Amino acid sequence: MVTSRRKFIKISALGVGGITLSASAVNLLASNPLLDAAAKKNLAKKLSRTATYCEVCFWKCAAWAYTDEEGDIKKVIGNDDDPHCNGRLCPRGTGGLGMYSDEDRLKTPLIRTTINGEETYREASWEEALDLIAEKFTEIKQKYGPESFALLKHGSPGSHLEHLFKAYGSDTIAEPAYAQCRGPRETGFGLTFGSWVGSPEPTDIRDTKCLVLIGSHIGENMHNTQVQEMSDAIDNGATIITVDPRFSTAASKSSHWLPIKPATDIALLLSWMHVLIEEELYNKKYVEKYAIGFDELKAHVKPFTPEWAYGITTIKPESIRETARLMAAAAPATIIHPGRHVTWYGDDSQRERAIAILNGLLGSWGNRGGFYFKEKISIPKYPHPAYPEPKWGWHEIGEQYPFAEMGNTSEVVKATIPNEDNPYPIKAWMIAGTNLINTLPQREQTLEAINALEFLVVVDTMPMEITGYADVVLPECTYLERYDGIRSATNRHPSIAVRIPAVKPKYNSKPAWWISKQIGDRIGLGDYFNYNDFEEVIEWQLNKMGTSLDEMKKIGVKNFERTSGPLFLEEGQDYEFGTPSGKIEFYSQQLADLGFDPMPVYTHHPQPPQGFYRLNYGRSPMHTFSRTINNPYLSDLKSENTLWVNPKVARILDLKKDQPVWLKNQDGILSAFPIKVRVTERIRWDSVYMYHGFGHNNKKLTRAFGKGASDAELISKIVVDPLMGGTGLRGNFVSILTEDPHKNTKV
Amino acid sequence: MRYAMVIDTLKCVGCSDCVVACQTENNVPHGYCRDWVTEAVSGSYPNLELELRSERCNHCANPPCVRCCPTGASHVIEGGIVLVTADQCIGCGACIESCPYDARYQHPDGYVDKCTFCHHRLEKGQLPACVSVCPTKCMYFGDLDDPNSEISQLLKNRKYKTLSPEAGTDPHVFYLI
Ligand code: SF4
Ligand code: SF4
Ligand code: SF4
């Protein structure tokens, strides 16, 4: 029998125009009591549900895992009471059970070994693997001090291991989510408002009258609550303004799309400030009461006219004026969104400062339709002895970046490469839940550091590229099979959510809390792990919070009243911001004192030379980083990325739709795999675009291997943010090769 | 009672959550789907339009798939829902050929499968899986015969279209534009 596989995304011409509804004669041919076969299969089985929260991305929506009588998970559905998802998961969350059912999962501990002079892995028991790891923990501590053992992590497993590392005496902890993603906006907003943006962002999109997205592609990044609220804003007739060189999904929902020349965003932001101030459209009362440095700002932005910005950004002066006026008309219910992956050109904290200042001029912070005052509930600390004081840690390693507030992964990598002048040598890594090979730029540097390590242990659910470099690989069970810490996140009101195992761990996988405790017990840190099962920890914490594990198993999410005061400022209310002055700081004395620009300035960034195109990358709604590409459900939706190329470019280079091409960046680095061409008007002629996370080169990922190209491998040039160490990733240029450059190099 | 679906293309972001939700709800095997997302771009940079559309069986009031089915496996039930009874389906594929929307596929178990409007959920008072999961809430479902239903009101107050009206199938999935 022939089975046809339908393509999930069909590209076709726009459909035909509207028709009027015909009075339909309902054709009741027969009423059949038989249900269709598939539904019958489902109905026959009684499903029971278990409370969890999602781990497919960092949004952590609360959900229910539905399990049939045979103990198989059938579906995952959002929890109606959860302020993160309101009962609706995103495609990744809905496909979360693919993380569990993926037959490529890591199944048992592996230890690197040499057989006949060749390095390979052999299967090991947990006892053996954990004993070996414990031995290395002790050895590193004796030889170099515990600080030389670094933890690089992401997500829920990270927090269990963080506890282990702190108990052990190491604060050498970092995650790519900071210096490779959202760090600059925390610095920019922190310097201006004295408060981090945090996650989820406290943007009152639901009630906004004007949403401005600058390089932020809501809808393609499925940050669930944000997507839901943007949809509400569309219903409410809000004005949406999108600044993006690419015609993103959000751009297509916008009344104004400003197709900006890449790398010129600060010029546009300064020019918007110019218009607001020169036309006296800013929120005078608010600025007077809450901000300092307005006069300096006014003088600073005086020269940055829309005509000036036009020459830089290619955005027409009328458009700049018109959009600034729209923002002002809607203010304070206007949001210039801080964005999320904001490490672009190295002046990112300053760009975020410009965004923050613009919000400040409009009075958005603390006003309905702008930014609300978020609140969360703190989880009682399960008792354990005090952590020892490390001699150095992430802070010292990244100390040349005065505004860094979290560990910088790239600096940890650098500190691992042997160098006699380095006072903070790192000798061993543990990596949990992050595929550093595809996450960090400058892959060669990462590999050099890995080569220099005395010991590397990787904890993951999947055989990601990074596992191939480990001395020991530990198979973690998926989020659907384990307990984890209570989720408490900032929202309009506090809420908590629990993660209860829906089924027993498959294969020989184990939860990260268990791994941490096992290692802790073995290296004499048993006092820090004073429980047999993590369930006891959660139960103790929930009891302290006036609820119980039993209750939480039934409801999954518990919402609490606010205690920190109203969501928004009241008319004329006194308010002290978290900055040194207690005011919104348009002019930053903190920056000036350290020799940085106290107000954002525009600097020119290199543009692609002849024959090269800027490499832009971003999210597809169905994937998280590189971690979901092998998920059977999500790979069904999108199994490979394509190279977006403007038709003009395609004509010049004679590229056809679906033609495989290879990419070569400015440093001569080649893409390992070909990527298919997508000819589309949605991209400018000076850039190409691809979804991030594809081009896996580990054959053990059977669905993901070799599908599409990896943007990460082509990012060899970075510009570091001098304020917080963020690695600007958008300054790489590629040329397009139509012949396989690896043809002659293959062994 | 006349069930219909109304989808707001101005809000759909093309995330395909509706597709995964349908797969997990209805045991649709990997590699197949009952619903899918279409992307259509028109214009040239920078004057562009993009339409994203979640598509599925239109539960046509004049369904060629039912008319051509030799065994009666394809049939219409109360509310205008077009179904295939797997036990009666011989997998001849005539209905696949006749459907102008390419809404049906051959299930590896030998019968033809497609969207059912999740009538097993409707019976329990639940919305179709795709509708209930959509993060942008751009899909609406209800009774077209009831002038006060949400979908009737939307169709009354908004501009809309159906797909390939020229095929004469009288489709009952409507797209707000
Ligand atoms: S889930 Fe909703 S937003 Fe996503 S593709 Fe389907 S209809 Fe569109
Ligand atoms: S869309 Fe196709 S399968 Fe569905 S009722 Fe109409 S003709 Fe039949
Ligand atoms: S109504 Fe049900 S069967 Fe039809 S597409 Fe939606 S989820 Fe699938």
Side-chain angles (χ1 to χ4, degrees):
Chain A
M1 183 190 331
V2 193
T3 55
S4 75
R5 184 193 161 111
R6 180 189 297 117
K7 268 198 169 156
F8 281 88
I9 310 284
K10 295 184 173 182
I11 312 288
S12 71
L14 268 177
V16 276
I19 55 143
T20 45
L21 178 63
S22 67
S24 69
V26 177
N27 212 353
L28 287 181
L29 294 183
S31 180
N32 197 313
L34 281 175
L35 295 171
D36 64 295
K40 243 194 305 187
K41 258 189 225 163
N42 249 6
L43 281 187
K45 291 177 180 163
K46 222 176 134 286
L47 300 181
S48 58
R49 63 180 203 182
T50 313
T52 188
Y53 58 85
C54 189
E55 184 78 18
V56 190
C57 89
F58 43 76
W59 209 260
K60 296 189 166 36
C61 297
W64 298 105
Y66 283 81
T67 316
D68 67 14
E69 286 152 344
E70 282 133 45
D72 209 17
I73 306 176
K74 301 307 288 181
K75 55 183 178 183
V76 186
I77 307 278
N79 185 318
D80 287 335
D81 297 326
D82 182 31
H84 286 225
C85 77
N86 305 304
R88 291 162 188 262
L89 296 179
C90 79
R92 300 162 312 197
T94 307
L97 79 108
M99 269 183 91
Y100 162 74
S101 62
D102 195 330
E103 65 290 351
D104 291 342
R105 278 173 60 175
L106 290 171
K107 299 186 174 76
T108 195
L110 300 171
I111 293 179
R112 181 180 288 262
T113 184
T114 307
I115 296 174
N116 296 335
E118 216 169 295
E119 286 197 78
T120 180
Y121 285 106
R122 64 176 172 81
E123 295 190 353
S125 68
W126 276 98
E127 282 300 311
E128 192 190 3
L130 292 165
D131 284 348
L132 174 61
I133 294 167
E135 195 185 303
K136 291 290 177 182
F137 263 88
T138 309
E139 189 185 312
I140 298 286
K141 192 178 205 160
Q142 279 166 358
K143 270 166 73 181
Y144 312 105
E147 298 84 357
S148 286
F149 206 146
L151 171 66
L152 302 166
K153 47 116 190 174
H154 189 265
S156 302
S159 51
H160 299 294
L161 293 160
E162 190 165 344
H163 175 57
L164 169 69
F165 271 72
K166 286 188 169 159
Y168 167 69
S170 172
D171 200 16
T172 310
I173 299 172
E175 57 182 281
Y178 186 69
Q180 279 71 45
C181 188
R182 65 188 177 92
R185 74 167 197 195
E186 310 304 2
T187 302
F189 273 68
L191 283 165
T192 314
F193 292 112
S195 170
W196 274 32
V197 178
S199 177
E201 292 80 0
T203 41
D204 190 24
I205 299 176
R206 181 169 85 182
D207 295 322
T208 198
K209 296 204 185 92
C210 179
L211 175 63
V212 183
L213 303 171
I214 179 157
S216 170
H217 44 288
I218 295 184
E220 283 158 287
N221 73 19
M222 286 303 293
H223 300 163
N224 198 339
T225 330
Q226 304 262 310
V227 176
Q228 295 195 12
E229 292 200 13
M230 185 167 87
S231 178
D232 294 340
I234 293 173
D235 271 342
N236 297 337
T239 302
I240 302 179
I241 298 167
T242 298
V243 183
D244 202 318
R246 186 176 61 95
F247 190 62
S248 62
T249 301
S252 78
K253 312 281 176 208
S254 305
S255 56
H256 291 72
W257 168 46
L258 308 183
I260 195 167
K261 180 169 172 175
T264 66
D265 309 79
I266 296 184
L268 174 65
L269 291 161
L270 290 170
S271 176
W272 270 339
M273 292 181 210
H274 170 97
V275 177
L276 293 181
I277 293 175
E278 289 301 310
E279 297 190 6
E280 300 201 36
L281 299 171
Y282 65 96
N283 190 331
K284 287 199 189 103
K285 259 198 191 156
Y286 181 94
V287 167
E288 215 160 278
K289 185 155 180 68
Y290 300 118
I292 56 162
F294 177 76
D295 293 337
E296 288 91 334
L297 182 70
K298 183 175 178 177
H300 178 64
V301 300
K302 184 124 190 120
F304 306 133
T305 60
E307 286 70 22
W308 166 83
Y310 175 44
I312 297 168
T313 61
T314 71
I315 308 288
K316 295 210 171 70
E318 311 87 84
S319 294
I320 298 178
R321 288 209 169 80
E322 188 191 0
T323 46
R325 287 171 195 151
L326 284 169
M327 289 179 219
T334 299
I335 300 166
I336 316 350
H337 198 284
R340 190 129 187 159
H341 175 77
V342 292
T343 42
W344 303 351
Y345 306 110
D347 51 5
D348 306 300
S349 294
Q350 291 284 14
R351 186 184 67 251
E352 290 293 326
R353 273 267 294 151
I355 292 174
I357 293 171
L358 206 51
N359 280 304
L361 283 171
L362 293 163
S364 309
W365 193 270
N367 271 311
R368 184 172 296 281
F371 294 76
Y372 58 80
F373 296 122
K374 61 197 173 182
E375 187 179 321
K376 76 167 177 180
I377 200 161
S378 65
I379 308 290
K381 288 257 177 312
Y382 190 76
H384 62 75
Y387 293 133
E389 193 66 47
K391 291 198 201 65
W392 50 270
W394 64 265
H395 206 273
E396 286 73 16
I397 293 167
E399 71 193 341
Q400 70 268 41
Y401 305 111
F403 294 101
E405 291 193 66
M406 277 174 74
N408 180 325
T409 331
S410 296
E411 295 304 310
V412 170
V413 169
K414 276 194 230 154
T416 308
I417 297 170
N419 169 5
E420 276 169 20
D421 302 331
N422 176 18
Y424 313 116
I426 295 170
K427 301 291 183 184
W429 292 358
M430 181 178 253
I431 302 177
T434 176
N435 187 13
L436 287 194
I437 299 295
N438 277 331
T439 303
L440 295 181
Q442 300 178 303
R443 192 171 286 178
E444 274 183 34
Q445 181 181 284
T446 311
L447 295 178
E448 196 184 340
I450 288 174
N451 277 333
L453 287 170
E454 290 188 13
F455 187 62
L456 172 59
V457 46
V458 174
V459 182
D460 213 318
T461 62
M462 294 295 298
M464 293 301 184
E465 281 73 14
I466 190 66
T467 56
Y469 297 92
D471 294 298
V472 183
V473 180
L474 299 181
E476 193 194 13
C477 59
T478 67
Y479 72 106
L480 293 163
E481 304 160 291
R482 68 187 192 224
Y483 278 104
D484 263 317
I486 297 165
R487 182 205 82 186
S488 168
T490 50
N491 271 306
R492 289 185 175 87
H493 60 259
S495 71
I496 55 168
V498 288
R499 180 179 284 163
I500 313 285
V503 287
K504 281 206 185 69
K506 251 194 190 175
Y507 313 117
N508 193 14
S509 63
K510 297 281 187 190
W513 69 260
W514 182 88
I515 296 170
S516 307
K517 178 178 160 59
Q518 289 294 320
I519 298 171
D521 285 347
R522 280 172 168 74
I523 59 176
L525 300 173
D527 289 355
Y528 290 86
F529 299 91
N530 192 15
Y531 42 83
N532 292 313
D533 194 314
F534 200 69
E535 183 176 2
E536 295 163 38
V537 177
I538 298 175
E539 177 130 52
W540 182 92
Q541 290 170 321
L542 291 171
N543 291 344
K544 287 257 171 220
M545 298 175 84
T547 173
S548 66
L549 191 56
D550 274 346
E551 186 192 23
M552 290 307 292
K553 279 182 175 167
K554 279 186 212 113
I555 58 178
V557 169
K558 195 173 176 79
N559 289 295
F560 295 85
E561 297 287 322
R562 280 176 74 89
T563 56
S564 65
L567 213 47
F568 302 109
L569 292 165
E570 267 144 50
E571 183 78 37
Q573 183 193 331
D574 289 329
Y575 187 82
E576 193 165 328
F577 288 83
T579 53
S581 62
K583 302 269 188 189
I584 300 168
E585 299 193 346
F586 291 163
Y587 179 94
S588 172
Q589 194 59 49
Q590 285 191 79
L591 286 176
D593 288 348
L594 290 169
F596 297 111
D597 294 318
M599 289 168 295
V601 295
Y602 166 72
T603 38
H604 174 78
H605 298 299
Q607 292 292 333
Q610 188 73 32
F612 282 86
Y613 304 88
R614 185 179 300 276
L615 174 63
N616 278 337
Y617 55 84
R619 294 292 209 94
S620 73
M622 45 294 271
H623 287 295
T624 306
F625 317 139
S626 65
R627 73 204 274 182
T628 53
I629 314 292
N630 205 64
N631 178 309
Y633 290 95
L634 305 180
S635 92
D636 249 12
L637 295 178
K638 189 168 285 301
S639 61
E640 62 188 304
N641 57 357
T642 54
L643 188 74
W644 296 32
V645 174
N646 184 279
K648 283 200 183 86
V649 175
R651 215 173 307 130
I652 294 166
L653 300 180
D654 196 22
L655 301 174
K656 303 270 168 317
K657 174 179 179 286
D658 288 339
Q659 173 181 351
V661 293
W662 290 258
L663 301 172
K664 185 180 190 171
N665 81 355
Q666 73 286 329
D667 298 327
I669 294 181
L670 292 163
S671 66
F673 302 107
I675 179 170
K676 285 185 189 148
V677 168
R678 172 185 177 181
V679 181
T680 175
E681 292 284 356
R682 294 177 63 189
I683 179 102
R684 276 171 70 101
W685 39 88
D686 57 2
S687 7
V688 291
Y689 178 82
M690 63 169 82
Y691 285 133
H692 167 76
F694 293 84
H696 279 274
N697 63 13
N698 189 348
K699 287 206 170 110
K700 296 222 160 72
L701 298 166
T702 53
R703 272 173 296 274
F705 175 77
K707 299 266 180 65
S710 160
D711 54 310
E713 73 183 337
L714 294 164
I715 300 177
S716 56
K717 189 166 150 231
I718 57 165
V719 191
V720 179
D721 187 313
L723 272 54
M724 48 61 69
T727 55
L729 307 171
R730 298 253 164 108
N732 288 265
F733 307 129
V734 292
S735 57
I736 301 171
L737 313 179
T738 50
E739 296 272 319
D740 183 354
H742 305 292
K743 216 167 33 197
N744 301 320
T745 54
K746 261 183 201 140
V747 204
Chain B
M1 177 76 86
R2 203 331 164 177
Y3 288 120
M5 202 178 271
V6 172
I7 301 176
D8 191 345
T9 61
L10 300 184
K11 294 201 292 177
C12 175
V13 293
C15 69
S16 304
D17 201 1
C18 43
V19 181
V20 199
C22 179
Q23 282 185 319
T24 58
E25 175 69 31
N26 295 306
N27 283 323
V28 178
H30 287 305
Y32 300 89
C33 53
R34 290 178 173 189
D35 53 346
W36 62 94
V37 176
T38 303
E39 173 185 329
V41 185
S42 59
S44 58
Y45 195 99
N47 300 307
L48 290 164
E49 264 181 70
L50 166 67
E51 187 176 281
L52 294 160
R53 237 180 8 237
S54 174
E55 296 184 1
R56 61 196 40 62
C57 168
N58 284 278
H59 297 276
C60 306
N62 182 20
C65 55
V66 171
R67 279 195 315 262
C68 77
C69 176
T71 66
S74 284
H75 62 285
V76 183
I77 62 163
E78 165 111 53
I81 299 176
V82 175
L83 288 186
V84 185
T85 307
D87 302 356
Q88 288 173 28
C89 176
I90 54 167
C92 70
C95 57
I96 297 180
E97 291 296 312
S98 75
C99 170
Y101 305 100
D102 198 11
R104 297 173 164 235
Y105 72 94
Q106 284 270 8
H107 192 285
D109 287 353
Y111 58 92
V112 167
D113 189 43
K114 65 163 199 73
C115 165
T116 59
F117 266 175
C118 280
H119 70 117
H120 67 287
R121 287 173 62 96
L122 304 180
E123 282 167 359
K124 289 189 273 181
Q126 295 169 333
L127 287 169
C130 53
V131 176
S132 75
V133 81
C134 173
T136 68
K137 287 166 264 167
C138 76
M139 304 167 79
Y140 304 85
F141 189 85
D143 181 7
L144 207 55
D145 286 346
D146 173 2
N148 295 319
S149 69
E150 198 178 24
I151 58 161
S152 297
Q153 288 298 314
L154 282 166
L155 294 179
K156 201 174 127 201
N157 298 318
R158 293 270 306 268
K159 263 179 75 179
Y160 66 87
K161 67 178 179 192
T162 55
L163 300 181
S164 310
E166 70 282 359
T169 57
D170 198 355
H172 275 69
V173 175
F174 301 90
Y175 294 94
L176 302 176
I177 46 176

